[in-house]
Amino acid sequence: MQEPLKFAYWVPNVSGGLVTSTIEQRTDWGFEYNKKLAQTAENNGFEYALSQIRYMASYGADHQHEATAFSLALGLATERLKLIAAVHPGLWEPSVLAKWVATADHLTNGRIAVNVVSGWLKAEFTAMGQPWLEHDERYRRSNEFIRVLREIWTSDAGAEFAGDFYRVRDFDLKPRPVDVPGRPHPEIFQGGNSTAARYNGGTVSDWYFSNGKDYDGFTEQVEEVLGHAKTAQRLQPVRFGLNGFMIARDGEKEARDTLREIIEKANKPAVEGFRDAVQQAGNSTGDKRGMWADSSFEDLVQYNDGFKTQLIGTPEQIADRAIEYKRRGANLLLLGFLHFQEEVEYFGANVLPIIREKEAELAAREPQALTV
């Protein structure tokens, strides 16, 4: 927590933007737009870019580019930005992904990471003839998936692993990923709100991604994940990312009016279809703490609950909320925008400088708040 707050953005490699609404979104899912956006982002304070994954048309996302290929292309078009590619266990073999990441890591000079997605859209798996596991089994498979990746990337001899889902014998990976100081292997992100997701976050993931949450909701997740981390054999402490949809405007009324218009113009059939799919997944957990289990219709207009984080208002107001989330354990904010190109530039010019000023004030006033 002594490090400056980091920032990532959702790569709009899926059509429809980051809100399921008919409001104008000056954002495009094509490569040329995203290439320019990635270059803009790395010059405006963003350290990471997360390429989302959909495989077929659904719920407002009629077209999509595959995440690993798109992340690599953006990596080759940038100089400093770290690219996070979303991947699904069950659709990838971990040994094959380990090899892909090693190659991509060399091509980008050590700037590739993965976000392990346990899966929420049953229709995609069944359409591809893949088995759909029960919720906690999907997360148990992800746990093994992450452990296999780490074993292959760090083993001094041939990697060995024998689990319920994956087996690797004498797997010798050459070349290994790039040797980046302070990074034992390419970073592994993983999200989810459920008990199983929190367990994985504390025990095997480098980063735990939270859906949008208010202060108390985020704090509760951080405390539980850290509890699991205390008993785990980790190479590094777990770090925390939080999703948020940012609407930064010169005046608070303008920002709130924009939020109101997004929700009023929601694509209701698409949002309701998405809600039916994801809340089935969330409610399938025994304790009903899965992803989106408590999300309202309005929350799901931004499909990762980004409105809940309330990064909405003037640059000063948003900076205050960002600092409070940092005090509660956030190391990174994963941001979505309505008009990506313009709003990423606005963030770099108007919001980020205030956040950095407030971080310095926080360090002077509450040095103990910068440690977990």
Side-chain angles (χ1 to χ4, degrees):
M1 288 299 294
Q2 295 177 4
E3 297 178 355
L5 190 61
K6 300 178 186 295
F7 296 93
Y9 74 93
W10 285 98
V11 174
N13 58 306
V14 172
S15 64
L18 264 287
V19 292
T20 309
S21 173
T22 59
I23 191 173
E24 180 192 17
Q25 298 186 65
R26 294 191 292 275
T27 295
D28 188 84
W29 63 286
F31 178 67
E32 288 305 319
Y33 177 91
N34 274 280
K35 175 181 175 181
K36 180 181 178 182
L37 174 60
Q39 294 166 346
T40 299
E42 72 175 354
N43 291 319
N44 280 276
F46 285 86
E47 189 169 334
Y48 295 88
L50 170 59
S51 295
Q52 54 194 307
I53 188 64
R54 295 274 190 100
Y55 289 96
M56 64 183 196
S58 62
Y59 312 123
D62 293 332
H63 298 79
Q64 57 284 133
H65 287 298
E66 193 275 328
T68 59
F70 212 71
S71 293
L72 178 55
L74 294 180
L76 297 176
T78 53
E79 298 178 355
R80 302 178 304 281
L81 195 66
K82 298 174 185 177
L83 292 310
I84 312 168
V87 296
H88 278 103
L91 303 180
W92 279 89
E93 281 293 320
S95 53
V96 175
L97 181 65
K99 183 65 175 179
W100 181 91
V101 169
T103 297
D105 208 45
H106 278 268
L107 294 176
T108 60
N109 195 28
R111 293 186 287 124
I112 290 294
V114 293
N115 182 39
V116 177
V117 182
S118 296
W120 58 266
L121 186 51
K122 179 180 180 180
E124 285 193 331
F125 277 73
T126 57
M128 291 184 277
Q130 299 298 316
W132 179 248
L133 303 182
E134 182 271 330
H135 178 277
D136 286 0
E137 286 294 279
R138 296 198 299 275
Y139 279 90
R140 200 162 68 85
R141 177 173 62 186
S142 292
N143 185 293
E144 286 193 8
F145 189 92
I146 292 169
R147 288 157 57 201
V148 173
L149 289 178
R150 184 172 285 118
E151 167 70 10
I152 291 173
W153 288 334
T154 62
S155 178
D156 291 329
E160 299 279 346
F161 187 90
D164 292 335
F165 300 95
Y166 302 109
R167 292 179 178 270
V168 174
R169 244 184 116 176
D170 196 25
F171 191 97
D172 191 13
L173 179 70
K174 288 187 175 67
R176 291 191 186 184
V178 176
D179 185 9
V180 176
R183 187 193 78 163
H185 53 72
E187 293 169 290
I188 300 171
F189 292 75
Q190 172 256 320
N193 288 345
S194 67
T195 298
R198 299 176 194 204
Y199 175 79
N200 283 358
T203 57
V204 296
S205 305
D206 300 315
W207 287 87
Y208 175 80
F209 264 145
S210 172
N211 258 19
K213 288 289 182 183
D214 61 15
Y215 292 148
D216 291 343
F218 180 65
T219 298
E220 185 251 340
Q221 285 189 328
V222 168
E223 290 175 349
E224 184 169 339
V225 171
L226 288 176
H228 292 303
K230 288 179 180 178
T231 61
Q233 295 181 343
R234 300 186 55 90
L235 296 177
Q236 290 185 319
V238 60
R239 290 184 284 180
F240 295 89
L242 173 67
N243 178 62
F245 190 84
M246 182 174 290
I247 305 175
R249 301 291 186 269
D250 293 342
E252 182 181 6
K253 183 179 184 302
E254 182 185 359
R256 292 290 168 185
D257 286 347
T258 299
L259 175 61
R260 188 177 303 110
E261 184 182 0
I262 291 172
I263 294 173
E264 287 175 350
K265 294 182 176 179
N267 182 337
K268 292 183 179 179
V271 175
E272 289 170 353
F274 179 76
R275 178 175 59 182
D276 290 344
V278 300
Q279 292 192 330
Q280 174 276 328
N283 286 320
S284 68
T285 61
D287 53 15
K288 309 300 182 186
R289 291 206 304 178
M291 293 275 278
W292 302 287
D294 61 351
S295 301
S296 69
F297 176 92
E298 289 76 12
D299 294 329
L300 293 174
V301 176
Q302 202 293 301
Y303 42 81
N304 283 95
D305 285 344
F307 299 151
K308 287 185 177 181
T309 311
Q310 286 293 300
L311 298 175
I312 299 163
T314 66
E316 182 87 17
Q317 290 171 322
I318 289 172
D320 284 337
R321 289 196 68 85
I323 292 298
E324 182 59 24
Y325 278 116
K326 179 174 181 174
R327 290 186 69 253
R328 292 168 180 261
N331 305 95
L332 175 150
L333 294 181
L334 171 60
L335 303 178
F337 302 92
L338 191 62
H339 311 303
F340 269 79
Q341 184 72 37
E342 301 97 308
E343 295 191 41
V344 163
E345 292 176 351
Y346 186 93
F347 169 84
N350 299 285
V351 181
L352 183 59
I354 301 176
I355 290 175
R356 296 301 184 223
E357 290 175 6
K358 290 181 180 291
E359 282 183 315
E361 293 171 2
L362 178 65
R365 184 178 70 251
E366 300 181 48
Q368 71 278 7
L370 298 183
T371 60
V372 175

